[in-house]
């Protein structure tokens, strides 16, 4: 990356820092007005955004991007309307700033209050999901944070146009200049430069594949909220209702194969494998899903005449396919299922299908993940589904933020103390 480009990233971040100082003093009414203006601007720019996105789609399809990732990249009228509605939904949520978290009078008569405040400058580094541009911009405006956006090259035209539309609308609505800033180069070194800006950028949020996230965690000088990959599992326990299990598995795997809450591994109790696996493997095959299976499941598939299978390797148990592929393993019971998930899972979303309360509660207590389900699909792990509004990511770490996170996770707090002349001995 050239010296001038490096300076440009730094200047963008410094301008965002100046904007953050002004944003921190805006009222909830002012920020909500800006969010509604941003939503209107997206709607008015739908045709231009779709056109830019079509160019991104055409380029990436020609470059061989797989269909599940193209689905993440694609914007149409309905998806842009969804982005606008998410901004409007944010405007209806309670103000996350100025919330009194603690209040007491100290021994010396000083009145102490702990209140929520913005983090400051939030940097988002993300891949082929242009809707993140709108989500991040909106969530940061709502929380009084300036945001620096570093989208992936696959969605370059889409991201840049959306960021411009949002910024113009926010400024017209009274928000400070540079409150939403996009790094518009496709040079990957811009990400490393952004990660080096300790003291300017307050937090970095990477959102994408394992390579991107690991690179940020390993090299960032800026504190990172780690959003995680989704090697998610569905475990069918011996007592499970077969119809319910089949519906949950298909929804978890096939609703959208390229999202991080999609199931990537199916675990089936060996006691019901001979009866259940031919049913679910036929369901998956009908959906075009390729199955990587253990030896017991392979024998069952061959006996049932199911050909969309191959023998799994160790790598399959740890793979996030983001495609029409799934790993299948037979396990001896709930304890082996828990051990497998805690060994190979990415602490994202895990589900058990069972009619046994004991098995369900054991699974929910012992599985280490942000979201654990009994008798429901993993596809519900989403900020909107959890009632949090638009999410900025799903954190698989345990400090500060975990699971789908949005407004509260982008605030910190400060102690405000009001005295009447007290001095300390």
């Amino acid at each position: 990356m050239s010296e001038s480009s490096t300076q440009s990233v730094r200047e963008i971040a410094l301008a965002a820092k100046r904007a953050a100082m002004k944003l921190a003093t805006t009222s909830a009414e002012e920020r909500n007005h800006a969010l509604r203006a941003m939503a209107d601007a997206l709607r008015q720019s739908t045709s231009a955004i779709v056109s830019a996105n079509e160019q991104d789609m055409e380029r990436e399809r020609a470059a061989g991007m797989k269909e599940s990732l193209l689905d993440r990249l694609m914007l149409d009228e309905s998806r842009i309307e969804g982005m606008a509605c998410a901004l409007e939904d944010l405007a209806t949520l309670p103000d996350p700033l100025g919330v009194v978290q603690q209040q007491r009078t100290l021994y010396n008569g000083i009145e102490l209050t702990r209140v929520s405040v913005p983090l400051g400058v939030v940097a988002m580094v993300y891949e082929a999901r242009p809707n993140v541009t709108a989500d991040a911009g909106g969530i940061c405006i709502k929380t009084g944070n300036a945001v620096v956006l570093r989208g992936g090259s696959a969605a370059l035209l889409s991201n840049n146009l959306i960021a411009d539309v949002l910024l113009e609308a926010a400024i017209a609505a009274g928000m400070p200049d540079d409150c939403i800033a996009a790094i518009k180069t496709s040079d990957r070194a811009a990400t490393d430069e952004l990660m080096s800006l300790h003291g300017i950028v307050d937090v970095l949020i990477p959102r994408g594949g394992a390579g991107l996230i690991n690179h940020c965690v390993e090299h960032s000088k800026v504190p990172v909220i780690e959003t995680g990959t989704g090697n998610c599992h569905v475990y069918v326990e011996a007592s499970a209702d077969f119809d319910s299990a089949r519906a949950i598995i298909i929804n978890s795997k096939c609703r959208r194969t390229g999202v991080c809450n999609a199931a990537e591994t199916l675990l089936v109790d060996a006691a019901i494998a001979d009866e259940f696996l031919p049913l679910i493997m036929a369901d998956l095959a009908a959906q075009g899903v390729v199955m990587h299976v253990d030896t017991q499941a392979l024998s069952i598939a061959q006996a049932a005449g199911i050909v969309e299978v191959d023998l799994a390797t160790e790598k399959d148990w740890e793979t996030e396919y983001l495609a029409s592929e799934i790993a299948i393993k037979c396990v001896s019971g709930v304890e082996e299922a828990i051990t497998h998930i805690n060994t190979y899972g990415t602490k994202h979303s895990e589900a058990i299908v069972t009619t046994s309360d004991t098995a369900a509660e054991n699974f929910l207590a012992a599985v280490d993940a942000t979201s654990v389900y009994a008798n429901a699909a993993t596809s519900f792990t989403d900020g909107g589904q959890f009632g949090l509004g638009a999410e900025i990511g799903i954190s698989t770490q345990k400090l500060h933020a975990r699971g789908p996170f949005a407004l509260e996770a982008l605030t910190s707090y400060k102690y405000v103390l009001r005295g009447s002349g007290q001095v300390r001995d």
Side-chain angles (χ1 to χ4, degrees):
M1 187 170 177
S2 69
E3 184 177 346
S4 61
S5 297
T6 299
Q7 186 62 22
S8 176
V9 172
R10 183 180 182 86
E11 288 172 353
I12 288 169
L14 284 169
K17 191 169 187 68
R18 292 190 292 270
M21 295 177 188
K22 297 176 182 178
L23 269 173
T25 63
T26 57
S27 68
E29 183 179 354
E30 290 169 330
R31 285 177 270 115
N32 290 336
H33 172 61
L35 288 168
R36 288 188 286 268
M38 290 157 61
D40 289 341
L42 282 179
R43 292 190 177 100
Q44 293 165 13
S45 303
T46 294
S47 178
I49 294 170
V50 169
S51 178
N53 183 253
E54 286 173 348
Q55 294 178 64
D56 285 332
M57 289 284 291
E58 183 179 350
R59 182 187 61 251
E60 295 307 311
R61 185 176 285 112
M65 178 179 278
K66 58 186 179 182
E67 285 300 320
S68 58
L69 296 183
L70 285 169
D71 177 62
R72 283 188 169 194
L73 174 60
M74 189 271 290
L75 293 177
D76 57 16
E77 272 192 47
S78 65
R79 289 190 178 182
I80 294 170
E81 175 61 23
M83 290 157 55
C85 288
L87 293 175
E88 291 173 332
D89 289 344
L90 281 171
T92 69
L93 295 175
D95 185 13
L97 302 181
V99 176
V100 176
Q101 300 172 344
Q102 296 181 19
Q103 190 169 25
R104 61 183 182 274
T105 302
L106 302 182
Y107 73 95
N108 51 21
I110 294 176
E111 298 289 338
L112 177 148
T113 307
R114 193 175 90 175
V115 297
S116 57
V117 297
L119 292 174
V121 177
V122 175
M124 278 290 301
V125 180
Y126 53 106
E127 293 179 324
R129 295 194 67 168
N131 64 294
V132 174
T133 305
D135 288 346
I139 290 169
C140 287
I141 291 295
K142 179 73 176 184
T143 53
N145 294 292
V147 62
V148 179
L149 300 165
R150 174 65 173 101
S153 59
L156 186 66
L157 298 177
S158 307
N159 288 334
N160 290 347
L161 180 54
I162 293 168
D164 287 344
V165 168
L166 296 177
L167 176 60
E168 182 178 346
I171 292 173
M175 296 295 102
D177 293 349
D178 305 305
C179 58
I180 300 171
I183 296 173
K184 297 185 175 181
T185 176
S186 60
D187 190 337
R188 294 184 179 182
T191 300
D192 291 334
E193 177 60 21
L194 187 61
M195 293 191 299
S196 74
L197 299 178
H198 179 72
I200 300 174
V201 175
D202 293 284
V203 66
L204 178 79
I205 303 172
R207 184 167 171 177
L212 171 68
I213 293 167
N214 291 337
H215 180 76
C216 290
V217 170
E218 292 169 8
H219 296 97
S220 180
K221 296 179 181 178
V222 175
V224 174
I225 299 178
E226 182 180 349
T227 64
T229 53
N231 185 16
C232 307
H233 300 70
V234 176
Y235 165 51
V236 182
E237 192 266 337
S239 70
D241 176 83
F242 282 13
D243 289 340
S244 178
R246 291 166 70 183
I248 286 170
I249 293 161
I250 293 301
N251 188 255
S252 296
K253 174 70 251 183
C254 301
R255 177 184 168 272
R256 287 185 68 185
T257 58
V259 293
C260 59
N261 58 23
E264 304 290 20
T265 298
L266 169 63
L267 303 176
V268 176
D269 196 296
I272 59 170
D274 286 341
E275 186 179 359
F276 179 73
L277 276 178
L279 300 174
I280 190 58
M281 288 194 291
D283 293 340
L284 289 165
Q287 295 285 333
V289 178
V290 175
M291 292 160 272
H292 311 285
V293 305
D294 70 357
T295 53
Q296 182 177 351
L298 181 62
S299 296
I300 293 170
Q302 290 171 338
I306 296 168
V307 299
E308 294 86 349
V309 298
D310 58 39
L311 187 62
T313 67
E314 179 75 9
K315 183 176 173 58
D316 287 299
W317 310 133
E318 58 191 29
T319 296
E320 182 189 30
Y321 297 109
L322 298 175
S324 293
E325 299 179 65
I326 195 169
I328 300 177
K329 180 178 177 63
C330 299
V331 295
S332 60
V334 65
E335 294 302 328
E336 185 181 351
I338 291 167
T339 298
H340 182 96
I341 291 169
N342 286 343
T343 300
Y344 295 101
T346 53
K347 307 184 189 304
H348 195 294
S349 302
E350 310 293 356
I352 182 174
V353 186
T354 182
T355 60
S356 165
D357 290 342
T358 300
E361 294 307 314
N362 188 7
F363 184 93
L364 295 175
V367 167
D368 184 11
T370 76
S371 305
V372 287
Y373 295 85
N375 299 311
T378 59
S379 49
F380 287 106
T381 303
D382 173 85
Q385 294 293 317
F386 282 16
L388 302 174
E391 70 184 33
I392 202 163
I394 297 175
S395 170
T396 53
Q397 64 187 36
K398 295 183 179 180
L399 294 179
H400 181 65
R402 197 174 200 207
F405 67 98
L407 304 184
E408 185 180 352
L410 292 189
T411 66
S412 183
Y413 56 81
K414 67 180 177 184
Y415 291 97
V416 177
L417 300 107
R418 295 179 173 88
S420 55
Q422 290 92 335
V423 296
R424 182 173 176 177
D425 294 334

